[in-house]
Amino acid sequence: MILETIGTLFQQCSKTKAFCLHAAVLKKGLQSRVFISNQVLNMYAKCGQVFLARRVFDEMSQRNIVSWSAMISGYDQCGEHGMALHLFSQMQFMPNEYIFASVLSACASIAALKQGQQIHAQSLKSGYASISFVSNSLITMYMKCGHCSDALSVYANSVGQNSVSYNALISGFTENHEPEKGFEVFKLMLQQGFVPDRFSFVGLLGYCAESDDLRMGMSLHCKAIKLELDSTPLIGNLMMKMYAKSNFVEEVEKAFRLIKDKDVISWNTLISAFSRFDDQAKCLRFFKEMMKECSIRPDDFTFASILAACAWHASIHHGKQIHGYLFRTRLFWEVEVNNALVDMYAKCGSIGYAHNVFNRMSYHNPVSWNTMIAAFGNHGLGERAIEIFEQMKITRIKPDSYTFIGLLTACNHSGLVRKGELYFNSMEEAYGVAPSIEHFSCLIDMLGRAGRLSEAEEYMKKFPHWKDPVVLGSLLSACRVHGNMVIGEGLAKQLLEVQPVTTSPYVLLSNLYASDRMWNDVRNARKMLKGSGLRKVPGYSLVEVKGNYEKFTIGDFSNLRIEEIKNVFGTLNWPVDTVFSDDIT
């Protein structure tokens, strides 16, 4: 009776009470009892203290099959799969079904096919292979090793097929890029009268989200609703991801609101989805809502996402609040959060704060260096960006494509044309990074700004496959600034050929003619634009006022405080009639 009571206590105790109970066992001298030692071992294993569990196991004077089973299972559950297999090879007892299931799970986790096949043969000889959870473990093992036909063979020969068997097949087929077979198994599962659970849907919904198969995903969503599974975080999170990839904004939030016990992944999926939709104001609102949920604590992914939203909005007020919260509540955060902080401060105009965060980082990955290089470059501090690049080389971190985009942008904004050209021409030879259209665009824009239009044109002839609308438009704009009609007209014709569906070629050509007072040609360019049926999207500005964002669009005077705005312009001695002309386009 006493032993049973102690056993029950061990099964119910938490990590904090585990040491006390073990101490009581040692004090009473009960550790020699195999039953008690097994309970202690099992308790430590389930609490994740596999090192202490192994110490108990090694100190046992006698061990039975339960001792070996608990230790092997403990290793498997704690991610020590190699140790689980090693201990299994030393076992002197005939394994039971629980041990077979644990070692097969370990084989699946590390794709140890050869060992898995040997254990399969052993389970067949001992008669355990037909037991449901052993056969299910075999199916999972073969699927994880990419042997779908062997998994099907196990399924066909098993006698205790259940929903777990079907789930293993469904997830296995989707993981092995055979989703059609996964859907066939799902249909068979329904035909056999089994009720799908949330794990039945995971693999299939994951495939629908990745492949943008919205029609099939919505069909699965309907089935999940009928089974009342859409309110579980596992299914709800996948539905949000699927709808986000298909740009179904309202459905994402609707799926989120239906989840009963939202976890941190639910909130992260929602915030990242609306960040994808460029609705950063809602991202911030959702983050505030999340912070009010006492049971949910933001993780590093949350902070990286919300800091990106602050950067997009140039909202240093919110960014500083989040930075302060990190200081108050966390001793350490991942490099991705630090990178997001650097980016946020830089895009909010506080390059000093950005550099300070960068210097305080204990570890820099390639993204850290690239972010700091781009930050200095965008602030016109080209020499500082080059200094960071030289420091990066000292640390032996290899520059990548993004590093050179940042460097070329820095050289462009600082007028360091010669250095920028040298970086472009040495990328592949010195650093093994092949130039792309993005690098070429930076080079052409840099030469164009410097007035070196002939050199830019030579590069265009040297790389004819990179006649991109952005590149052509950039150089055409430079021709307008520097008044080069000859090159400009030729570029405009090329631009009309490669980009006939936007207004940019017409507007740039019109501006080019206007800069040389060629008004007839300006009118012709405007007629071409009007005849194309295209319309230029008006520009706008966002201004943050007390945490809210006001949008001001060119030619739109519908703002409720428009009279106050006019009065402010008046106090600045701006001619109101000029500023608020109806001819603005």
Side-chain angles (χ1 to χ4, degrees):
M1 185 67 181
I2 294 174
L3 293 180
E4 290 177 0
T5 304
I6 294 173
T8 303
L9 286 172
F10 273 118
Q11 290 172 8
Q12 295 177 350
C13 78
S14 61
K15 286 184 184 180
T16 52
K17 296 178 181 177
F19 296 110
C20 297
L21 277 171
H22 190 189
V25 165
L26 292 171
K27 189 174 181 180
K28 295 291 183 180
L30 297 174
Q31 69 274 17
S32 59
R33 304 283 185 93
V34 177
F35 173 80
I36 296 297
S37 290
N38 286 344
Q39 294 293 333
V40 175
L41 189 162
N42 191 49
M43 173 194 67
Y44 280 131
K46 288 184 176 177
C47 289
Q49 303 288 334
V50 71
F51 172 76
L52 294 174
R54 183 58 191 261
R55 180 184 289 182
V56 172
F57 179 83
D58 290 338
E59 291 175 354
M60 290 175 69
S61 55
Q62 291 182 328
R63 303 185 192 99
N64 58 16
I65 191 80
V66 177
S67 315
W68 290 89
S69 179
M71 194 66 243
I72 291 169
S73 175
Y75 273 132
D76 178 50
Q77 291 173 14
C78 291
E80 298 281 352
H81 309 298
M83 288 299 297
L85 294 172
H86 178 70
L87 190 63
F88 175 73
S89 67
Q90 296 179 328
M91 194 173 70
Q92 298 169 352
F93 291 92
M94 175 64 72
N96 61 15
E97 62 269 37
Y98 304 106
I99 293 175
F100 277 123
S102 294
V103 289
L104 285 168
S105 173
C107 290
S109 298
I110 57 175
L113 178 62
K114 187 176 180 180
Q115 288 168 289
Q117 289 172 328
Q118 292 173 347
I119 294 165
H120 186 188
Q122 197 173 349
S123 68
L124 285 168
K125 288 179 183 178
S126 58
Y128 288 114
S130 60
I131 294 176
S132 62
F133 54 87
V134 176
S135 63
N136 292 341
S137 296
L138 282 165
I139 292 169
T140 301
M141 185 271 296
Y142 279 121
M143 284 295 190
K144 291 288 185 183
C145 294
H147 282 236
C148 301
S149 57
D150 289 329
L152 274 175
S153 178
V154 171
Y155 163 80
N157 292 313
S158 61
V159 292
Q161 297 164 353
N162 53 25
S163 59
V164 178
S165 314
Y166 288 99
N167 291 349
L169 286 172
I170 292 167
S171 60
F173 279 125
T174 52
E175 286 170 8
N176 283 285
H177 311 293
E178 296 186 50
E180 299 83 7
K181 290 184 179 179
F183 283 108
E184 287 176 18
V185 173
F186 184 76
K187 290 175 185 176
L188 179 62
M189 181 182 188
L190 295 171
Q191 290 168 6
Q192 295 294 326
F194 290 101
V195 178
D197 58 18
R198 63 186 191 276
F199 300 107
S200 311
F201 287 91
V202 169
L204 299 177
L205 283 172
Y207 162 76
C208 292
E210 293 299 326
S211 64
D212 296 330
D213 191 343
L214 186 62
R215 186 186 63 81
M216 184 58 74
M218 292 178 76
S219 175
L220 289 170
H221 190 188
C222 291
K223 287 184 174 63
I225 291 171
K226 289 177 182 177
L227 295 168
E228 298 182 352
L229 295 172
D230 60 318
S231 60
T232 62
L234 193 62
I235 300 299
N237 295 346
L238 282 168
M239 295 312 310
M240 290 164 64
K241 181 182 177 183
M242 183 187 74
Y243 286 125
K245 285 200 74 177
S246 299
N247 295 320
F248 278 62
V249 185
E250 293 180 2
E251 295 302 321
V252 172
E253 188 170 357
K254 194 182 293 182
F256 172 79
R257 298 299 176 193
L258 289 172
I259 299 172
K260 288 181 180 177
D261 298 313
K262 300 174 182 67
D263 57 18
V264 69
I265 298 172
S266 309
W267 288 97
N268 289 349
T269 306
L270 180 70
I271 290 169
S272 64
F274 276 85
S275 178
R276 173 191 171 93
F277 302 142
D278 287 335
D279 194 343
Q280 312 302 336
K282 271 201 170 182
C283 289
L284 291 166
R285 191 156 71 246
F286 290 139
F287 179 71
K288 290 176 183 177
E289 188 181 337
M290 180 185 183
M291 297 299 287
K292 291 177 183 176
E293 291 273 348
C294 299
S295 59
I296 303 293
R297 292 181 64 84
D299 61 10
D300 289 316
F301 186 89
T302 316
F303 287 114
S305 298
I306 203 63
L307 284 167
C310 293
W312 190 92
H313 264 305
S315 177
I316 196 168
H317 173 70
H318 288 111
K320 281 184 173 180
Q321 284 185 332
I322 293 164
H323 194 184
Y325 178 85
L326 282 164
F327 264 116
R328 291 193 305 272
T329 59
R330 308 181 71 171
L331 294 173
F332 173 79
W333 50 86
E334 294 293 334
V335 66
E336 289 78 13
V337 178
N338 277 316
N339 293 343
L341 280 166
V342 173
D343 186 55
M344 182 273 295
Y345 279 123
K347 287 180 178 174
C348 290
S350 297
I351 192 66
Y353 279 123
H355 195 212
N356 188 37
V357 172
F358 178 82
N359 285 334
R360 289 173 178 269
M361 291 170 65
S362 57
Y363 166 73
H364 299 101
N365 64 9
V367 177
S368 314
W369 294 101
N370 293 347
T371 305
M372 199 65 244
I373 289 168
F376 277 131
N378 290 329
H379 280 77
L381 302 170
E383 295 289 356
R384 298 289 299 277
I386 291 170
E387 285 176 20
I388 296 293
F389 177 64
E390 294 301 323
Q391 292 173 27
M392 179 185 184
K393 290 197 294 185
I394 292 170
T395 63
R396 299 188 180 278
I397 289 180
K398 189 178 178 182
D400 59 19
S401 177
Y402 296 103
T403 312
F404 286 99
I405 291 173
L407 266 179
L408 291 168
T409 302
C411 293
N412 186 4
H413 290 178
S414 303
L416 304 172
V417 183
R418 185 172 174 277
K419 282 189 176 181
E421 202 171 353
L422 284 171
Y423 281 130
F424 179 84
N425 291 322
S426 65
M427 280 173 59
E428 191 160 15
E429 185 179 340
Y431 303 99
V433 179
S436 67
I437 184 65
E438 287 81 7
H439 304 103
F440 187 66
S441 179
C442 289
L443 174 70
I444 296 300
D445 188 50
M446 178 175 63
L447 292 170
R449 285 176 186 239
R452 293 163 62 172
L453 303 175
S454 297
E455 291 178 55
E457 194 177 27
E458 286 301 314
Y459 272 107
M460 295 284 284
K461 291 175 182 176
K462 188 178 178 181
F463 300 101
H465 56 287
W466 280 340
K467 284 187 178 178
D468 180 80
V470 176
V471 176
L472 291 167
S474 170
L475 193 53
L476 179 56
S477 182
C479 288
R480 181 184 68 82
V481 172
H482 296 285
N484 193 317
M485 290 294 301
V486 178
I487 295 176
E489 283 188 306
L491 289 169
K493 290 175 182 177
Q494 294 180 54
L495 192 55
L496 285 169
E497 290 174 6
V498 299
Q499 193 188 25
V501 292
T502 70
T503 62
S504 297
Y506 306 102
V507 174
L508 287 168
L509 184 60
S510 172
N511 292 340
L512 177 67
Y513 288 137
S515 66
D516 208 36
R517 297 180 178 275
M518 300 169 65
W519 305 118
N520 287 331
D521 292 313
V522 170
R523 276 192 294 273
N524 290 334
R526 290 288 177 178
K527 283 180 182 178
M528 288 170 64
L529 172 58
K530 191 173 182 179
S532 70
L534 299 170
R535 186 178 177 183
K536 188 176 183 298
V537 178
Y540 67 87
S541 297
L542 282 177
V543 180
E544 183 184 358
V545 181
K546 296 181 180 180
N548 295 315
Y549 295 91
E550 293 284 347
K551 184 176 180 180
F552 296 93
T553 305
I554 289 177
D556 178 13
F557 311 117
S558 60
N559 193 288
L560 295 175
R561 302 176 67 182
I562 193 68
E563 294 302 323
E564 292 179 62
I565 295 169
K566 287 182 178 181
N567 290 335
V568 170
F569 278 120
T571 62
L572 294 171
N573 291 323
W574 285 24
V576 176
D577 292 339
T578 302
V579 174
F580 291 93
S581 169
D582 290 336
D583 295 331
I584 294 176
T585 55

